[in-house]
Coordinates of all heavy atoms in Angstrom, one line a residue:
P191 N 24.6 0.0 3.7 CA 23.7 0.2 4.7 C 24.2 0.8 6.2 O 23.4 0.7 7.2 CB 22.9 -1.2 5.0 CG 24.0 -2.0 4.7 CD 24.9 -1.5 3.8
S192 N 25.4 1.2 6.3 CA 25.9 1.6 7.5 C 25.1 2.8 8.0 O 24.8 3.8 7.3 CB 27.3 2.1 7.3 OG 27.9 2.8 8.5
P193 N 24.9 2.8 9.4 CA 24.2 4.0 9.9 C 25.0 5.3 9.8 O 24.4 6.4 9.9 CB 24.1 3.7 11.4 CG 24.2 2.2 11.5 CD 25.1 1.8 10.4
I194 N 26.3 5.2 9.5 CA 27.0 6.4 9.2 C 26.5 7.2 8.1 O 26.5 8.6 8.1 CB 28.5 5.9 8.8 CG1 29.2 5.4 10.0 CG2 29.4 7.2 8.4 CD1 30.5 4.6 9.6
M195 N 25.9 6.6 7.1 CA 25.3 7.3 6.0 C 24.1 8.0 6.4 O 23.8 9.2 6.1 CB 24.9 6.4 4.8 CG 26.1 5.9 4.0 SD 26.9 7.2 3.0 CE 25.8 7.2 1.6
L196 N 23.3 7.5 7.2 CA 22.1 8.1 7.8 C 22.3 9.2 8.6 O 21.8 10.3 8.4 CB 21.2 7.1 8.6 CG 19.9 7.7 9.2 CD1 19.1 8.2 8.1 CD2 19.2 6.7 10.1
E197 N 23.5 9.1 9.5 CA 23.9 10.3 10.3 C 24.3 11.4 9.4 O 23.9 12.6 9.8 CB 25.0 9.9 11.2 CG 24.7 8.8 12.2 CD 25.9 8.2 12.9 OE1 27.0 8.8 12.7 OE2 25.8 7.2 13.6
E198 N 24.9 11.2 8.4 CA 25.4 12.1 7.4 C 24.2 12.9 6.7 O 24.1 14.2 6.6 CB 26.4 11.7 6.4 CG 27.2 12.7 5.6 CD 28.0 13.6 6.6 OE1 28.6 13.1 7.4 OE2 28.0 14.9 6.3
A199 N 23.2 11.9 6.3 CA 22.1 12.5 5.7 C 21.2 13.5 6.5 O 20.7 14.4 6.1 CB 21.2 11.3 5.2
L200 N 21.1 13.1 7.8 CA 20.2 13.9 8.7 C 21.0 14.9 9.5 O 20.4 15.6 10.4 CB 19.5 13.0 9.7 CG 18.6 11.9 9.0 CD1 17.9 11.0 10.0 CD2 17.6 12.6 8.1
R201 N 22.3 15.1 9.2 CA 23.1 16.1 9.9 C 22.5 17.5 9.8 O 22.1 17.9 8.8 CB 24.5 16.1 9.4 CG 25.5 17.0 10.2 CD 26.9 16.9 9.5 NE 27.4 15.5 9.6 CZ 28.2 15.1 10.6 NH1 28.3 15.9 11.7 NH2 28.7 13.9 10.6
G202 N 22.3 18.2 10.9 CA 21.7 19.5 10.8 C 20.2 19.5 11.0 O 19.6 20.7 11.0
L203 N 19.5 18.3 10.9 CA 18.0 18.3 11.0 C 17.6 17.8 12.3 O 18.2 16.8 12.7 CB 17.5 17.4 9.9 CG 17.7 17.8 8.5 CD1 17.1 16.6 7.5 CD2 17.1 19.1 8.2
E204 N 16.7 18.5 12.9 CA 16.2 18.0 14.3 C 15.0 17.0 14.0 O 13.8 17.4 14.3 CB 16.0 19.1 15.1 CG 17.1 20.0 15.6 CD 16.6 21.2 16.4 OE1 15.5 21.3 16.8 OE2 17.5 21.9 16.8
V205 N 15.4 15.9 13.4 CA 14.3 15.0 13.0 C 14.7 13.6 13.5 O 15.9 13.2 13.3 CB 14.1 14.9 11.5 CG1 13.0 13.9 11.1 CG2 13.8 16.3 10.9
D206 N 13.8 12.9 14.1 CA 14.0 11.5 14.5 C 14.0 10.6 13.3 O 13.0 10.7 12.5 CB 12.9 11.0 15.5 CG 13.2 9.7 16.2 OD1 13.4 8.8 15.6 OD2 13.3 9.8 17.5
P207 N 14.9 9.7 13.2 CA 14.9 8.7 12.1 C 13.5 8.0 11.9 O 13.1 7.7 10.8 CB 16.0 7.7 12.4 CG 16.9 8.5 13.1 CD 16.2 9.4 14.0
A208 N 12.8 7.8 13.0 CA 11.6 7.1 13.0 C 10.5 7.9 12.3 O 9.4 7.3 11.8 CB 11.1 6.8 14.4
D209 N 10.7 9.2 12.1 CA 9.8 10.0 11.5 C 10.2 10.3 10.0 O 9.6 11.1 9.3 CB 9.7 11.4 12.2 CG 9.1 11.3 13.5 OD1 8.2 10.4 13.7 OD2 9.6 11.9 14.5
C210 N 11.2 9.7 9.6 CA 11.7 9.8 8.1 C 11.5 8.5 7.3 O 11.2 7.5 7.9 CB 13.3 10.0 8.2 SG 13.8 11.4 9.2
V211 N 11.6 8.7 5.9 CA 11.6 7.6 5.1 C 12.8 7.4 4.2 O 13.2 8.6 3.7 CB 10.3 7.5 4.3 CG1 10.0 8.8 3.5 CG2 10.1 6.3 3.5
M212 N 13.3 6.3 4.1 CA 14.5 6.1 3.1 C 13.9 5.5 1.8 O 13.2 4.5 1.9 CB 15.5 5.1 3.7 CG 16.6 4.7 2.9 SD 17.7 6.1 2.4 CE 18.2 5.7 0.7
V213 N 14.2 6.1 0.6 CA 13.6 5.7 -0.5 C 14.8 5.2 -1.4 O 15.8 6.1 -1.7 CB 12.8 6.9 -1.2 CG1 12.2 6.4 -2.5 CG2 11.9 7.6 -0.3
G214 N 14.7 4.0 -2.0 CA 15.8 3.6 -2.9 C 15.3 2.3 -3.7 O 14.2 1.9 -3.6
D215 N 16.2 1.8 -4.5 CA 15.9 0.7 -5.4 C 16.6 -0.5 -5.1 O 16.5 -1.5 -5.7 CB 16.2 1.2 -6.9 CG 17.7 1.3 -7.1 OD1 18.4 1.9 -6.3 OD2 18.2 0.6 -8.1
R216 N 17.5 -0.5 -4.0 CA 18.3 -1.8 -3.6 C 17.9 -2.2 -2.2 O 17.9 -1.4 -1.2 CB 19.8 -1.4 -3.7 CG 20.2 -1.2 -5.1 CD 21.7 -1.2 -5.1 NE 22.4 -1.4 -6.4 CZ 23.7 -1.8 -6.6 NH1 24.6 -1.8 -5.6 NH2 24.1 -2.1 -7.8
L217 N 17.6 -3.5 -2.2 CA 17.2 -4.2 -0.8 C 18.5 -4.1 0.1 O 18.3 -3.9 1.2 CB 16.7 -5.5 -1.1 CG 15.4 -5.6 -1.9 CD1 15.1 -7.1 -2.2 CD2 14.2 -5.1 -1.1
G218 N 19.6 -4.5 -0.4 CA 20.8 -4.7 0.5 C 21.4 -3.5 1.0 O 22.2 -3.6 1.9
T219 N 21.1 -2.5 0.4 CA 21.8 -1.1 0.9 C 20.6 -0.1 1.4 O 20.7 0.2 2.5 CB 22.7 -0.5 -0.3 OG1 21.8 -0.4 -1.4 CG2 23.8 -1.3 -0.6
D220 N 19.9 0.4 0.5 CA 18.9 1.4 0.8 C 17.9 0.8 1.9 O 17.7 1.4 2.9 CB 18.1 1.8 -0.4 CG 19.0 2.3 -1.5 OD1 19.8 3.1 -1.2 OD2 18.8 1.9 -2.8
I221 N 17.2 -0.2 1.6 CA 16.2 -0.8 2.4 C 16.8 -1.4 3.7 O 16.3 -1.2 4.8 CB 15.4 -1.9 1.7 CG1 14.8 -1.3 0.5 CG2 14.2 -2.4 2.6 CD1 14.0 0.1 0.5
Q222 N 18.0 -2.0 3.5 CA 18.5 -2.6 4.8 C 19.0 -1.5 5.8 O 18.8 -1.6 7.0 CB 19.8 -3.4 4.5 CG 20.4 -4.2 5.6 CD 19.3 -5.2 6.2 OE1 18.8 -6.0 5.3 NE2 19.1 -5.2 7.5
M223 N 19.5 -0.3 5.2 CA 19.8 0.8 6.2 C 18.7 1.3 7.0 O 18.7 1.5 8.2 CB 20.4 2.0 5.4 CG 20.9 3.1 6.3 SD 21.8 4.4 5.4 CE 20.3 5.2 4.8
A224 N 17.5 1.3 6.3 CA 16.2 1.7 6.9 C 15.8 0.7 8.0 O 15.4 1.1 9.1 CB 15.1 1.9 6.0
L225 N 15.9 -0.5 7.7 CA 15.5 -1.6 8.7 C 16.5 -1.5 9.8 O 15.9 -1.7 10.9 CB 15.6 -3.0 8.0 CG 14.6 -3.2 6.9 CD1 14.9 -4.5 6.2 CD2 13.2 -3.4 7.5
D226 N 17.7 -1.3 9.6 CA 18.7 -1.2 10.7 C 18.7 -0.1 11.7 O 19.0 0.0 12.7 CB 20.1 -1.3 10.1 CG 20.5 -2.7 9.5 OD1 19.7 -3.7 9.8 OD2 21.5 -2.7 8.8
T227 N 18.0 1.1 11.1 CA 17.9 2.2 11.9 C 16.6 2.7 12.3 O 16.4 3.8 12.9 CB 18.6 3.4 11.0 OG1 17.9 3.5 9.8 CG2 20.1 3.1 10.8
G228 N 15.6 1.8 12.0 CA 14.3 2.3 12.5 C 13.4 3.2 11.7 O 12.4 3.7 12.1
M229 N 14.0 3.4 10.4 CA 13.2 4.2 9.5 C 12.1 3.5 8.7 O 12.2 2.3 8.5 CB 14.2 4.8 8.4 CG 15.3 5.8 9.0 SD 16.3 6.2 7.7 CE 15.3 7.5 6.8
A230 N 11.1 4.2 8.2 CA 10.3 3.7 7.2 C 11.1 3.6 6.0 O 12.0 4.2 5.8 CB 9.0 4.5 7.0
S231 N 10.7 2.5 5.1 CA 11.5 2.3 4.0 C 10.4 2.2 2.6 O 9.3 1.8 2.8 CB 12.3 1.1 3.9 OG 11.4 -0.1 4.2
C232 N 11.0 2.8 1.6 CA 10.2 2.7 0.3 C 11.1 2.2 -0.8 O 12.1 2.8 -1.1 CB 9.7 4.1 0.0 SG 8.8 4.0 -1.6
L233 N 10.7 1.0 -1.3 CA 11.4 0.5 -2.5 C 10.8 0.9 -3.8 O 9.5 0.7 -3.9 CB 11.4 -1.0 -2.4 CG 12.1 -1.7 -3.6 CD1 13.7 -1.6 -3.4 CD2 11.7 -3.1 -3.9
V234 N 11.5 1.6 -4.7 CA 10.8 1.9 -5.9 C 11.4 0.9 -7.0 O 12.5 0.5 -7.0 CB 11.2 3.3 -6.4 CG1 10.4 4.2 -5.6 CG2 12.7 3.6 -6.3
L235 N 10.4 0.4 -7.8 CA 10.8 -0.7 -8.8 C 11.3 -0.1 -10.2 O 10.8 -0.5 -11.2 CB 9.5 -1.6 -9.0 CG 9.0 -2.2 -7.8 CD1 7.7 -2.9 -8.1 CD2 9.9 -3.2 -7.2
T236 N 12.2 0.9 -10.0 CA 12.7 1.6 -11.1 C 14.2 1.4 -11.3 O 14.7 1.9 -12.2 CB 12.3 3.0 -11.1 OG1 12.8 3.7 -9.7 CG2 10.9 3.4 -11.2
G237 N 14.6 0.5 -10.5 CA 16.1 0.2 -10.5 C 16.5 -1.2 -10.5 O 15.9 -1.9 -11.4
E238 N 17.3 -1.7 -9.5 CA 17.7 -3.0 -9.6 C 16.8 -4.1 -9.2 O 16.8 -5.2 -9.8 CB 18.9 -3.1 -8.6 CG 19.4 -4.4 -8.4 CD 20.6 -4.6 -7.4 OE1 21.4 -3.6 -7.3 OE2 20.7 -5.6 -6.7
T239 N 15.9 -3.8 -8.2 CA 15.0 -4.8 -7.5 C 13.7 -5.0 -8.3 O 13.0 -4.0 -8.7 CB 14.8 -4.3 -6.0 OG1 16.1 -4.2 -5.5 CG2 14.1 -5.5 -5.3
T240 N 13.2 -6.1 -8.4 CA 11.9 -6.6 -9.0 C 10.9 -6.9 -7.9 O 11.3 -7.1 -6.8 CB 12.1 -7.7 -10.0 OG1 12.4 -8.9 -9.1 CG2 13.2 -7.5 -10.9
A241 N 9.6 -6.8 -8.3 CA 8.6 -7.3 -7.4 C 8.7 -8.6 -7.0 O 8.4 -9.0 -5.9 CB 7.3 -7.0 -8.1
Q242 N 9.3 -9.6 -7.8 CA 9.5 -10.9 -7.4 C 10.6 -11.0 -6.3 O 10.5 -11.9 -5.4 CB 10.0 -11.7 -8.7 CG 8.9 -12.0 -9.8 CD 8.6 -10.7 -10.6 OE1 9.5 -9.8 -10.7 NE2 7.3 -10.6 -11.1
D243 N 11.6 -10.2 -6.4 CA 12.6 -10.2 -5.3 C 11.9 -9.8 -4.0 O 12.2 -10.5 -2.9 CB 13.7 -9.1 -5.6 CG 14.4 -9.4 -6.9 OD1 14.6 -10.6 -7.2 OD2 14.9 -8.4 -7.5
V244 N 11.1 -8.9 -4.0 CA 10.3 -8.4 -2.7 C 9.4 -9.6 -2.3 O 9.4 -9.9 -1.0 CB 9.5 -7.2 -3.0 CG1 8.8 -6.8 -1.7 CG2 10.4 -6.1 -3.4
A245 N 8.7 -10.2 -3.1 CA 7.8 -11.3 -2.7 C 8.6 -12.5 -2.1 O 8.0 -13.2 -1.2 CB 7.0 -11.7 -4.0
A246 N 9.9 -12.5 -2.5 CA 10.6 -13.7 -1.9 C 11.2 -13.4 -0.5 O 11.7 -14.3 0.2 CB 11.7 -14.0 -2.8
L247 N 11.0 -12.2 -0.1 CA 11.6 -11.8 1.3 C 10.8 -12.3 2.5 O 9.5 -12.5 2.4 CB 11.7 -10.3 1.4 CG 12.7 -9.6 0.5 CD1 12.4 -8.1 0.5 CD2 14.1 -9.9 0.8
E248 N 11.4 -12.5 3.6 CA 10.7 -12.8 4.8 C 10.0 -11.6 5.2 O 10.4 -10.4 4.8 CB 11.7 -13.2 5.9 CG 12.3 -14.6 5.7 CD 13.2 -15.1 6.7 OE1 13.3 -14.4 7.7 OE2 14.0 -16.1 6.6
E249 N 8.9 -11.6 5.9 CA 8.1 -10.5 6.2 C 8.9 -9.4 6.9 O 8.7 -8.2 6.7 CB 6.9 -10.9 7.0 CG 5.6 -10.1 7.0 CD 5.1 -9.9 5.6 OE1 5.1 -10.7 4.8 OE2 4.8 -8.7 5.4
N250 N 9.7 -9.7 7.9 CA 10.4 -8.7 8.6 C 11.6 -8.1 7.8 O 12.3 -7.2 8.4 CB 11.0 -9.3 9.9 CG 11.8 -10.4 9.8 OD1 12.1 -11.1 8.6 ND2 12.7 -10.8 10.8
H251 N 11.7 -8.5 6.6 CA 12.8 -7.9 5.7 C 12.2 -7.0 4.7 O 12.9 -6.6 3.8 CB 13.7 -9.0 5.2 CG 14.7 -9.5 6.1 ND1 14.5 -10.7 6.9 CD2 16.0 -9.1 6.6 CE1 15.5 -10.8 7.7 NE2 16.4 -10.0 7.5
K252 N 10.8 -7.1 4.6 CA 10.2 -6.3 3.5 C 10.2 -4.8 3.7 O 10.0 -4.4 4.8 CB 8.8 -6.8 3.3 CG 8.7 -8.3 2.7 CD 7.4 -8.8 2.3 CE 7.5 -10.1 1.7 NZ 6.0 -10.6 1.4
P253 N 10.2 -4.1 2.7 CA 10.0 -2.5 2.8 C 8.7 -2.2 3.4 O 7.7 -2.9 3.1 CB 10.3 -2.0 1.4 CG 10.8 -3.1 0.7 CD 10.4 -4.4 1.3
T254 N 8.5 -1.0 3.9 CA 7.2 -0.5 4.4 C 6.4 -0.3 3.2 O 5.2 -0.6 3.1 CB 7.4 0.9 5.1 OG1 8.5 0.7 6.0 CG2 6.1 1.3 5.8
Y255 N 6.9 0.3 2.0 CA 6.1 0.6 0.8 C 6.9 0.0 -0.3 O 8.2 0.1 -0.3 CB 6.0 2.1 0.7 CG 5.5 2.9 1.8 CD1 6.4 3.9 2.5 CD2 4.3 2.7 2.5 CE1 6.0 4.5 3.6 CE2 3.9 3.4 3.5 CZ 4.7 4.3 4.1 OH 4.3 5.0 5.3
V256 N 6.2 -0.4 -1.3 CA 6.8 -0.9 -2.5 C 6.0 -0.1 -3.8 O 4.7 -0.2 -3.8 CB 6.7 -2.3 -2.9 CG1 7.4 -2.7 -4.2 CG2 7.4 -3.0 -1.7
L257 N 6.7 0.7 -4.5 CA 5.9 1.6 -5.5 C 6.5 1.4 -6.8 O 7.8 1.2 -7.0 CB 6.1 3.1 -5.0 CG 5.6 3.4 -3.6 CD1 5.9 5.0 -3.4 CD2 4.1 3.1 -3.4
D258 N 5.7 1.6 -7.8 CA 6.1 1.5 -9.2 C 6.6 2.8 -9.8 O 7.3 2.8 -10.8 CB 5.1 0.8 -10.2 CG 3.9 1.7 -10.2 OD1 3.7 2.6 -9.4 OD2 2.9 1.2 -11.0
R259 N 6.3 3.8 -9.1 CA 6.7 5.2 -9.5 C 6.9 6.1 -8.2 O 6.1 6.0 -7.3 CB 5.9 5.9 -10.5 CG 4.4 6.0 -10.2 CD 3.5 6.6 -11.3 NE 4.0 8.0 -11.6 CZ 3.9 8.6 -12.8 NH1 3.7 7.9 -13.9 NH2 4.3 9.8 -12.8
I260 N 7.8 6.9 -8.3 CA 8.3 7.5 -6.9 C 7.3 8.6 -6.5 O 7.2 8.8 -5.3 CB 9.8 8.1 -7.2 CG1 10.4 8.3 -5.8 CG2 9.6 9.3 -8.1 CD1 11.9 8.8 -5.9
D261 N 6.6 9.2 -7.4 CA 5.7 10.2 -6.9 C 4.4 9.6 -6.1 O 3.7 10.3 -5.5 CB 5.2 11.1 -8.0 CG 4.6 10.4 -9.2 OD1 4.7 9.3 -9.2 OD2 4.3 11.2 -10.1
R262 N 4.4 8.3 -6.1 CA 3.3 7.7 -5.3 C 3.6 7.8 -3.8 O 2.9 7.4 -2.9 CB 3.1 6.2 -5.7 CG 2.3 6.1 -7.0 CD 0.8 6.5 -6.7 NE 0.0 6.4 -7.9 CZ -1.3 7.0 -7.9 NH1 -1.8 7.6 -6.9 NH2 -2.1 6.8 -9.0
L263 N 4.7 8.3 -3.5 CA 5.0 8.7 -2.1 C 4.1 9.8 -1.5 O 3.8 9.9 -0.2 CB 6.5 9.2 -1.9 CG 7.5 8.1 -1.7 CD1 8.8 8.8 -2.0 CD2 7.5 7.4 -0.4
I264 N 3.4 10.6 -2.6 CA 2.5 11.6 -2.2 C 1.1 10.9 -2.0 O 0.8 10.1 -2.8 CB 2.4 12.7 -3.2 CG1 3.7 13.4 -3.4 CG2 1.1 13.6 -2.9 CD1 4.1 14.3 -2.2
P265 N 0.5 10.9 -0.8 CA -0.7 10.1 -0.5 C -1.8 10.5 -1.6 O -1.7 11.6 -2.1 CB -1.2 10.7 0.8 CG 0.1 11.1 1.5 CD 1.0 11.7 0.4
Q266 N -2.7 9.6 -1.8 CA -3.6 9.6 -2.9 C -4.5 10.9 -2.8 O -4.9 11.6 -3.7 CB -4.5 8.4 -2.9 CG -5.6 8.4 -4.1 CD -5.0 8.4 -5.4 OE1 -4.0 7.7 -5.8 NE2 -5.5 9.3 -6.3
R267 N -5.0 11.3 -1.5 CA -5.8 12.4 -1.3 C -5.1 13.7 -1.7 O -5.8 14.5 -2.3 CB -6.2 12.6 0.2 CG -5.0 12.7 1.2 CD -5.5 12.8 2.7 NE -4.4 12.8 3.5 CZ -3.7 14.0 3.8 NH1 -4.1 15.1 3.2 NH2 -2.6 13.9 4.7
L268 N -3.8 13.7 -1.6 CA -3.1 14.9 -2.2 C -2.9 14.9 -3.6 O -3.0 15.9 -4.2 CB -1.7 15.0 -1.4 CG -1.7 15.3 0.0 CD1 -0.3 15.3 0.7 CD2 -2.5 16.5 0.5
W269 N -2.8 13.7 -4.1 CA -2.8 13.6 -5.7 C -4.1 14.2 -6.2 O -4.1 15.0 -7.1 CB -2.7 12.1 -6.1 CG -1.4 11.5 -6.3 CD1 -0.4 11.5 -5.5 CD2 -1.0 11.0 -7.6 NE1 0.7 10.9 -6.1 CE2 0.4 10.6 -7.4 CE3 -1.5 10.7 -8.8 CZ2 1.1 10.0 -8.3 CZ3 -0.7 10.2 -9.9 CH2 0.6 9.9 -9.6

Side-chain angles (χ1 to χ4, degrees):
S192 171
I194 293 169
M195 286 292 278
L196 177 62
E197 292 169 11
E198 194 62 42
L200 300 183
R201 188 180 294 273
L203 297 179
E204 295 182 3
V205 180
D206 191 303
D209 298 322
C210 304
V211 60
M212 175 69 212
V213 188
D215 69 307
R216 286 190 160 195
L217 293 170
T219 53
D220 304 315
I221 304 307
Q222 191 60 52
M223 185 179 74
L225 292 170
D226 291 346
T227 55
M229 296 176 74
S231 58
C232 175
L233 180 81
V234 286
L235 300 174
T236 50
E238 175 185 326
T239 307
T240 66
Q242 290 74 24
D243 294 331
V244 178
L247 294 172
E248 296 180 6
E249 201 61 36
N250 62 341
H251 286 91
K252 290 186 177 180
T254 313
Y255 315 114
V256 181
L257 304 177
D258 59 355
R259 52 184 292 149
I260 197 169
D261 50 358
R262 280 294 177 188
L263 278 165
I264 297 292
Q266 183 62 49
R267 60 182 176 80
L268 296 180
W269 267 62

